[in-house]
Amino acid sequence: MANLLIDPHGRVIDYMRISITDLCNLRCIYCMPPEGIQLLSHSDILSYEEILTIIRVARSLGIRKIRITGGEPLVRRGVLEFISRLTRMSGIEDVALTTNGVLLARMAGDLKAAGLNRINVSLDSLRRETFHAVTGMDRLGEVLAGIETALEQGFDLVKINVVLLQGVNEADLPAFARLTLEKPIDVRFIERMPFGMNQCPNSPDPLSALKAREIIRRELGELHPVDRNPLDGPATMFRLEQAVGRVGIIDPVTGHFCGTCNRIRLTARGALRPCLLGNGEIDIKSDLRRGVSDQVLADIIRRAVLAKPMAHSMCLPEMNESMSRIGG
Ligand code: SAM
């Protein structure tokens, strides 16, 4: 029988989200402090070899899907070779990448050749000034070119992830949804989560997924629910009349997001995080560098899975009241 990692709440954990760098070439106001982050030294970051060792052990326990993220993963040297090794690993069924898209136009062909199946591009505005205000950089043109190139390269799926920011990108929401009318992409609207808020004093207020749906429906008509597929993650999926692509809603703050959680995270610094929104981390780098056996690494991974909370703190009842003030 295949190995399965099952958390204390009965969820099968088969997905590892791996940050390969803390560096980023954008400075999004809700994600990075204005002064930037303290750079880690090269030796603090897991090497590709170390990441592959952890994946190999995780695979033997039941991890089947990998998402590469950051920081901005495409800024780390050697990422293409790393992806190519990962996609050739037997037992890993799906490898996807989350990127801000700035370097995608020049790298999409090589990423496809490295065996990558799926790309998520994070993009919060289609207007140049707003993009600049959110990211601190005037690079919207490069991101749009990156999305076009990814579509031309024929990835199985290109998704655009839009974080909902009150007073910032409401006007963009219909334009984003309109992209799905003609392009085979999924545009997903995501509630801004309250992590890193201390470091990001200029972070815009969140906007609820419900409000986003209303804005889109008012301009473009009904969003029809469509069946989810296993790669939709926590998104509820819809389609506009006659659309080629789909619209997704991800509501980690106002909705029920954790029930289907199937993932653990590995940070660039070599810690396992049982929950995206929890602070808990379990160090794996120290033992890995001490040369412990695969069995010990497997025990650390199991420990991270056993530490998964049923829901992140925002979903717990005592937090619901404070969340009711979320925009819309
Ligand atoms: N640099 C890559 C990118 O931009 O996609 C990968 C890392 S970035 C941290 C991953 C995703 O997390 C982006 O889509 C970003 O918008 C999202 N994100 C960051 N902070 C967030 C927050 N507070 N709430 C919701 N999403 C957030």
Side-chain angles (χ1 to χ4, degrees):
M1 197 180 91
N3 278 336
L4 285 181
L5 278 169
I6 300 179
D7 81 359
H9 316 288
R11 296 170 298 200
V12 174
I13 309 303
D14 61 359
Y15 185 150
M16 188 178 267
R17 196 177 162 112
I18 299 173
S19 170
I20 59 169
T21 177
D22 277 9
L23 295 180
C24 192
N25 45 1
L26 296 181
R27 291 282 173 274
C28 296
I29 35 176
Y30 56 86
C31 187
M32 282 258 180
E35 66 281 9
I37 53 164
Q38 194 176 2
L39 296 186
L40 299 171
S41 76
H42 190 63
S43 62
D44 286 332
I45 296 282
L46 289 179
S47 69
Y48 286 131
E49 214 55 59
E50 289 169 332
I51 297 173
L52 288 165
T53 299
I54 294 170
I55 295 173
R56 188 172 44 73
V57 175
R59 176 193 59 180
S60 74
L61 298 174
I63 295 292
R64 299 275 169 267
K65 301 174 210 160
I66 303 287
R67 174 168 296 280
I68 303 158
T69 179
E72 170 50 38
L74 296 186
V75 302
R76 181 160 176 187
R77 199 179 306 157
V79 64
L80 291 170
E81 168 65 16
F82 168 66
I83 290 174
S84 144
R85 289 177 68 184
L86 193 50
T87 57
R88 281 186 276 124
M89 225 185 220
S90 72
I92 296 298
E93 295 160 5
D94 184 63
V95 180
L97 173 87
T98 296
T99 171
N100 60 34
V102 168
L103 299 174
L104 194 52
R106 65 182 95 148
M107 294 178 77
D110 289 335
L111 288 165
K112 186 78 179 31
L116 195 72
N117 308 328
R118 303 191 290 123
I119 291 197
N120 286 9
V121 180
S122 306
L123 176 61
D124 299 334
S125 178
L126 291 165
R127 291 168 299 156
R128 187 174 167 187
E129 293 74 28
T130 309
F131 178 92
H132 193 164
V134 171
T135 66
M137 308 280 169
D138 187 11
R139 305 187 82 165
L140 174 62
E142 289 157 84
V143 180
L144 295 178
I147 293 169
E148 280 308 319
T149 314
L151 288 170
E152 283 160 21
Q153 288 294 334
F155 281 93
D156 292 349
L157 196 51
V158 176
K159 297 181 187 174
I160 300 180
N161 288 338
V162 183
V163 176
L164 297 164
L165 303 168
Q166 198 179 149
V168 175
N169 64 0
E170 285 97 332
D172 288 287
L173 307 186
F176 272 119
R178 213 175 273 122
L179 292 176
T180 67
L181 292 174
E182 307 212 326
K183 294 186 194 294
I185 52 178
D186 285 354
V187 174
R188 307 183 322 156
F189 298 102
I190 304 173
E191 288 176 341
R192 197 216 73 197
M193 294 173 264
F195 47 66
M197 288 300 105
N198 296 341
Q199 302 99 290
C200 301
N202 304 325
S203 185
D205 284 338
L207 179 76
S208 72
L210 191 65
K211 182 83 178 179
R213 279 178 65 177
E214 267 169 37
I215 293 171
I216 294 165
R217 196 165 43 82
R218 240 185 351 240
E219 283 224 16
L220 298 174
E222 215 45 64
L223 281 164
H224 305 286
V226 291
D227 287 342
R228 291 163 38 79
N229 71 51
L231 296 177
D232 288 333
T236 309
M237 300 306 298
F238 301 88
R239 204 183 286 279
L240 286 167
E241 201 70 40
Q242 307 280 325
V244 185
R246 304 181 303 166
V247 170
I249 298 284
I250 302 181
D251 51 4
V253 182
T254 62
H256 301 282
F257 171 73
C258 304
T260 55
C261 185
N262 63 344
R263 60 194 67 181
I264 50 172
R265 297 169 70 87
L266 176 63
T267 70
R269 285 164 283 105
L272 291 166
R273 301 194 79 166
C275 170
L276 169 62
L277 285 136
N279 290 326
E281 287 195 348
I282 296 175
D283 175 37
I284 189 166
K285 181 175 67 184
S286 310
D287 282 313
L288 181 63
R289 289 192 175 169
R290 271 212 312 275
V292 298
S293 66
D294 285 1
Q295 191 53 52
V296 174
L297 295 176
D299 285 343
I300 298 171
I301 296 170
R302 277 198 207 93
R303 201 146 38 88
V305 168
L306 289 176
K308 275 184 78 61
M310 188 170 75
H312 62 68
S313 56
M314 293 183 310
C315 278
L316 297 175
E318 63 268 28
M319 296 297 286
N320 284 348
E321 201 177 321
S322 62
M323 282 303 140
S324 63
R325 59 177 173 69
I326 193 169

